[in-house]
């Protein structure tokens, strides 16, 4: 670490104050409205989804426009260091971080018996409202079922993993869909869903735009 005392002080005083500034657009807001990014020793950026990593952090809105501006100079200014992470690398790193967090979330939901696993259980849970679902990429006809389509319309579905991967997490050969109505887990799924959307829209945009 080559931090000067001033920088350390700044970081400490920022911990007491929950206001952060976007490395992209420069706007300030509560820290929970930002993604926290830390700088690795090799000059690459790492998404800190649980805001718990040590090291110097910078903040950026999940808006693709903010991410782009930050990658074009905002992060370098915030860290006062050269950033080697490119847009495609940031996108891939972000998507992997979201998947990793999603795995942890599903396993903890399953352990606390807050997860309805399989189509029948998920359908039943969805009828009570407030539920969120995770649907496998290769869920097939289950993805076309009415309860899933209704949840998609409500923004209540995260599409991730393959059936076999979901199954491996949840102790079954294959799982196409699982759902939860746990309020805390639902909130976190909503946040991950929003991040997933912004990372995927990064990929569909012209990088020179
Ligand atoms: Zn911003």
């Amino acid at each position: 670490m080559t931090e000067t005392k001033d920088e350390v002080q700044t970081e400490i005083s920022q911990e007491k104050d929950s206001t952060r500034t976007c490395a992209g657009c420069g706007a300030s807001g509560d820290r929970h409205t930002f993604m926290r990014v830390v700088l690795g020793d090799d000059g690459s950026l790492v998404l800190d989804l649980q805001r718990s990593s040590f090291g110097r952090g910078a903040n950026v809105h999940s808006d693709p426009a903010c991410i782009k501006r930050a990658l074009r100079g905002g992060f370098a200014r915030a860290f006062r260091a050269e950033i080697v992470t490119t847009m495609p690398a940031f996108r891939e790193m972000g998507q992997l971080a979201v998947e990793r967090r999603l795995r942890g979330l599903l396993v903890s939901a399953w352990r606390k018996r807050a997860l309805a696993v399989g189509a029948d259980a998920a359908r039943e849970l969805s009828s009570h409202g407030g539920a969120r679902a995770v649907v496998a990429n290769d869920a097939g006809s289950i993805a076309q079922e009415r309860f899933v389509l209704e949840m998609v319309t409500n923004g209540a579905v995260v599409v991730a993993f393959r059936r076999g991967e979901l199954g491996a997490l949840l102790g079954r050969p294959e799982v196409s869909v699982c759902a939860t109505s746990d309020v805390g887990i639902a909130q976190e799924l909503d946040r991950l869903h929003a991040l997933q959307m912004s990372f995927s829209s990064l990929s569909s945009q012209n990088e020179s735009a």
Side-chain angles (χ1 to χ4, degrees):
M1 281 280 123
T2 54
E3 282 179 330
T4 66
K5 198 174 176 188
D6 272 357
E7 284 169 292
V8 175
Q9 289 293 342
T10 306
E11 187 98 350
I12 289 167
S13 59
Q14 275 182 355
E15 283 308 314
K16 291 178 192 156
D17 172 9
S18 69
T19 301
R20 297 289 185 277
T21 302
C22 179
C25 68
S28 296
D30 184 84
R31 67 193 190 110
H32 292 293
T33 60
F34 293 109
M35 299 193 293
R36 182 174 191 257
V37 172
V38 295
L39 183 63
D41 291 337
D42 60 354
S44 65
L45 299 168
V46 181
L47 190 58
D48 176 22
L49 281 179
Q50 293 177 273
R51 309 192 67 91
S52 57
S53 295
F54 289 110
R56 295 163 64 193
N59 291 272
V60 66
H61 289 119
S62 55
D63 184 328
C66 290
I67 296 172
K68 284 184 182 180
R69 284 172 72 174
L71 285 170
R72 276 194 218 115
F75 285 135
R77 280 191 293 278
F79 287 111
R80 276 172 263 167
E82 193 186 342
I83 306 297
V84 300
T85 301
T86 60
M87 185 90 71
F90 189 88
R91 179 174 69 227
E92 194 187 337
M93 178 275 295
Q95 284 167 337
L96 288 174
V98 166
E99 283 192 1
R100 194 160 51 239
R101 177 76 185 115
L102 211 44
R103 279 193 192 91
L105 203 60
L106 288 176
V107 168
S108 69
W110 185 63
R111 284 192 184 138
K112 66 193 265 200
R113 299 174 188 276
L115 200 64
V117 180
D120 291 342
R123 190 186 304 108
E124 162 68 19
L125 189 75
S126 73
S127 67
H128 303 303
R132 303 292 189 282
V134 175
V135 176
N137 275 303
D138 56 347
S141 60
I142 287 173
Q144 299 304 316
E145 278 206 34
R146 192 170 155 185
F147 83 95
V148 174
L149 294 175
E150 282 178 3
M151 291 180 87
V152 169
T153 304
N154 296 331
V157 170
V158 177
V159 177
F161 310 117
R162 302 187 68 78
R163 284 178 298 190
E165 289 176 272
L166 272 181
L169 287 176
L170 305 174
R172 294 191 184 187
E174 288 191 336
V175 171
S176 295
V177 56
C178 56
T180 184
S181 53
D182 179 284
V183 175
I185 294 169
Q187 260 179 9
E188 185 65 357
L189 281 175
D190 288 348
R191 184 172 79 104
L192 295 173
H193 186 219
L195 289 175
Q196 200 185 37
M197 292 293 111
S198 65
F199 290 132
S200 71
S201 75
L202 267 183
S203 62
S204 63
Q205 289 176 10
N206 184 337
E207 290 181 9
S208 62

